[in-house]
Amino acid sequence: MAASILQRCLSPVQTFTKCVNYRSIVRRSLLSSAYTDPAVWEQRPRDAQDLGQLASLMDRTYERKFPVSSLVIARFIDNLSSKEEVDQAQYYLYKFRHSPNCWYLRDWTIHSWIRRCLKYGARDKALYSLKNKVQFGMFPDDFSFNLLIDSFLKDEDFKGACSVVEEVMLQESFERISTQILSLYALSKYLATKPELSWQEERSLGASLMLAGLKQENSVGFSARLLGLALIGKVELSRGIHAVFHEMPLIWTSGYLGRALAVMDAVCDFRDVKLSEEVLNHVEEILKDLSVNADGQNVTDTPREEDDELETQKLPEYINRFKELKERLVSQDRIDSRSLESLVSALTQQTLEACEDADIAEYQQTVSVWEAERQQLIQRERETKEKNQKSDLHSLDFLCF
């Protein structure tokens, strides 16, 4: 009887524990709390301003066809305190981008914008401004990219994370190891959901996999390169080489499927490197689909280039070459039974934590440099204001920094 009563008493506790554990798993962040902690950023000297007055100042300045100072737009972003104010700020970022001072949107202002969007639940605004970077001037640093990717991953929004990775790819910002790992993690997780992809998405994912994979000299890197090149090659044979490199950081030379096979050939000569069996199966499916779908028939209204026709004629050769290389990989035990997702997850556990200390130290130095630059601009602003007051010239409203 006592045991029964005790069990009933403990039952709610056990249920609560299960709920807590489940939520912690769902909300788990790849980056540590030290990495995402805004303390370093928030500890900067605060320049408290009234948003209404700043908005009025910018409106009057634009009406008089004078440029708004980069300090003014920076102050506006730094003082955002709600999602509604973030929505309003997007308008002023757009106006600044289309003003004579458009080249003076400071790196710290972009970083502050990303942080404000994340803080006030307006992540969609951050992504929108990235997707429309020409209109908003949004070219974040790697640390900002990492924070945004990690935020999507925390909510298991892998498609959203891949949208950010696409912007990293377009800006060719895969220099940090942490950015490479987070990007490959997002890509592998999204592909594991087996999404229905348009040819534009295949090209984007392929380019992201290839460029991020090029930075990793391991099984993950080679597997990502192979799949990325195969996806790009699929677009090339079905749409033509112009569809591949249009608005993409990819070379214009035909032969992406050939480059994919070259990756397989290279793995045969590398020690301690294997290719994911899942990736090889995916490449095999791509080759089969290309063979079945009208032998590389053009699916666009654009006339095919001579190079496109020559590449299409190589498809049987590519298929035979793939079979030969796969047999060679099998004989050399160079195929890993794990999926790309599993390989990337293992690499993430092994590597990401070690990258964080260097990233955090560099970020602290960057914030110091940004703050020094900001103080210099404030001093210049003050001196110019005093000079103008003495000579009875223009007011502070029309300063450009």
Side-chain angles (χ1 to χ4, degrees):
M1 183 69 175
S4 177
I5 295 174
L6 179 61
Q7 181 63 33
R8 287 200 300 271
C9 291
L10 289 177
S11 180
V13 177
Q14 292 170 345
T15 302
F16 175 76
T17 303
K18 289 179 180 178
C19 293
V20 171
N21 289 340
Y22 173 75
R23 291 192 182 110
S24 66
I25 291 172
V26 171
R27 298 287 299 175
R28 180 179 60 83
S29 174
L30 282 182
L31 294 175
S32 69
S33 57
Y35 200 105
T36 58
D37 187 2
V40 173
W41 182 251
E42 299 294 344
Q43 285 171 1
R44 298 176 308 145
R46 181 170 172 77
D47 188 2
Q49 299 278 336
D50 182 271
L51 283 184
Q53 292 180 1
L54 287 174
S56 177
L57 169 62
M58 288 189 284
D59 289 338
R60 286 186 286 111
T61 304
Y62 285 130
E63 286 173 5
R64 300 175 188 181
K65 302 188 184 302
F66 282 93
V68 165
S69 162
S70 66
L71 280 176
V72 173
I73 189 66
R75 287 167 180 149
F76 193 87
I77 300 300
D78 282 343
N79 283 276
L80 298 176
S81 59
S82 69
K83 188 176 186 298
E84 291 71 27
E85 291 174 354
V86 170
D87 294 343
Q88 182 185 18
Q90 196 169 44
Y91 165 77
Y92 287 104
L93 284 170
Y94 178 88
K95 289 285 290 183
F96 188 87
R97 178 62 173 175
H98 292 78
S99 73
N101 261 9
C102 62
W103 300 111
Y104 294 98
L105 185 65
R106 305 295 172 176
D107 290 340
W108 69 77
T109 305
I110 297 172
H111 180 72
S112 182
W113 167 248
I114 299 294
R115 281 199 176 275
R116 294 295 170 182
C117 288
L118 293 178
K119 182 176 181 178
Y120 297 114
R123 189 173 58 195
D124 58 323
K125 297 296 182 182
L127 182 56
Y128 181 82
S129 62
L130 282 182
K131 289 293 183 183
N132 296 275
K133 52 187 171 294
V134 175
Q135 301 300 324
F136 293 96
M138 285 293 138
F139 300 91
D141 62 293
D142 294 344
F143 198 92
S144 301
F145 271 132
N146 285 356
L147 293 178
L148 193 53
I149 294 172
D150 185 69
S151 175
F152 280 103
L153 292 176
K154 184 185 298 182
D155 291 335
E156 296 190 351
D157 183 354
F158 302 127
K159 184 175 182 179
C162 286
S163 294
V164 182
V165 173
E166 179 182 352
E167 295 306 313
V168 178
M169 175 270 295
L170 291 172
Q171 296 186 34
E172 300 182 73
S173 296
F174 289 117
E175 297 306 316
R176 287 181 188 262
I177 296 177
S178 55
T179 307
Q180 299 161 23
I181 293 173
L182 286 171
S183 298
L184 289 168
Y185 187 90
L187 292 165
S188 65
K189 284 291 185 180
Y190 181 53
L191 289 171
T193 65
K194 301 188 183 303
E196 291 291 331
L197 301 174
S198 65
W199 70 267
Q200 294 94 337
E201 290 172 326
E202 288 181 328
R203 179 186 63 176
S204 174
L205 289 172
S208 299
L209 283 165
M210 184 195 71
L211 293 176
L214 280 172
K215 302 291 185 177
Q216 294 286 324
E217 293 293 322
N218 48 39
S219 296
V220 168
F222 280 92
S223 295
R225 287 179 228 174
L226 172 59
L227 181 55
L229 286 165
L231 287 170
I232 300 170
K234 179 181 178 181
V235 174
E236 180 187 354
L237 261 68
S238 59
R239 297 266 169 180
I241 188 64
H242 285 283
V244 168
F245 65 72
H246 180 64
E247 297 182 347
M248 300 289 284
L250 298 170
I251 61 174
W252 299 9
T253 310
S254 301
Y256 278 91
L257 282 176
R259 295 183 191 104
L261 298 178
V263 172
M264 295 176 65
D265 194 17
V267 170
C268 293
D269 298 326
F270 268 80
R271 291 184 177 181
D272 302 324
V273 172
K274 296 184 178 182
L275 290 174
S276 165
E277 184 176 13
E278 177 194 61
V279 168
L280 288 168
N281 292 338
H282 198 154
V283 175
E284 189 171 14
E285 289 177 8
I286 289 174
L287 292 171
K288 286 180 180 178
D289 289 344
L290 288 171
S291 180
V292 170
N293 292 335
D295 297 321
Q297 231 177 23
N298 186 22
V299 296
T300 68
D301 296 330
T302 306
R304 293 176 66 86
E305 300 284 341
E306 182 179 351
D307 288 344
D308 295 332
E309 296 294 346
L310 291 174
E311 191 65 18
T312 298
Q313 293 172 14
K314 294 179 181 178
L315 183 57
E317 177 186 337
Y318 288 149
I319 294 174
N320 291 331
R321 180 63 175 156
F322 174 83
K323 292 177 180 178
E324 293 173 1
L325 287 169
K326 187 175 180 180
E327 290 176 359
R328 188 176 167 192
L329 289 168
V330 170
S331 66
Q332 295 182 355
D333 191 26
R334 297 295 172 84
I335 298 180
D336 196 315
S337 60
R338 290 176 292 176
S339 65
L340 179 62
E341 179 188 11
S342 297
L343 287 172
V344 174
S345 296
L347 179 66
T348 301
Q349 292 178 355
Q350 297 168 5
T351 312
L352 186 58
E353 185 177 352
C355 302
E356 288 194 347
D357 291 342
D359 279 9
I360 293 171
E362 185 177 341
Y363 173 66
Q364 291 172 340
Q365 292 178 354
T366 299
V367 171
S368 297
V369 171
W370 285 346
E371 183 58 24
E373 186 178 351
R374 188 173 75 94
Q375 292 302 325
Q376 288 177 357
L377 290 176
I378 292 174
Q379 179 62 28
R380 283 174 53 193
E381 178 188 63
R382 188 180 298 113
E383 292 172 354
T384 305
K385 179 181 178 180
E386 293 173 354
K387 179 180 178 181
N388 287 346
Q389 286 177 338
K390 290 179 181 179
S391 57
D392 195 27
L393 294 175
H394 302 291
S395 68
L396 177 60
D397 296 12
F398 315 132
L399 293 175
C400 302
F401 296 100

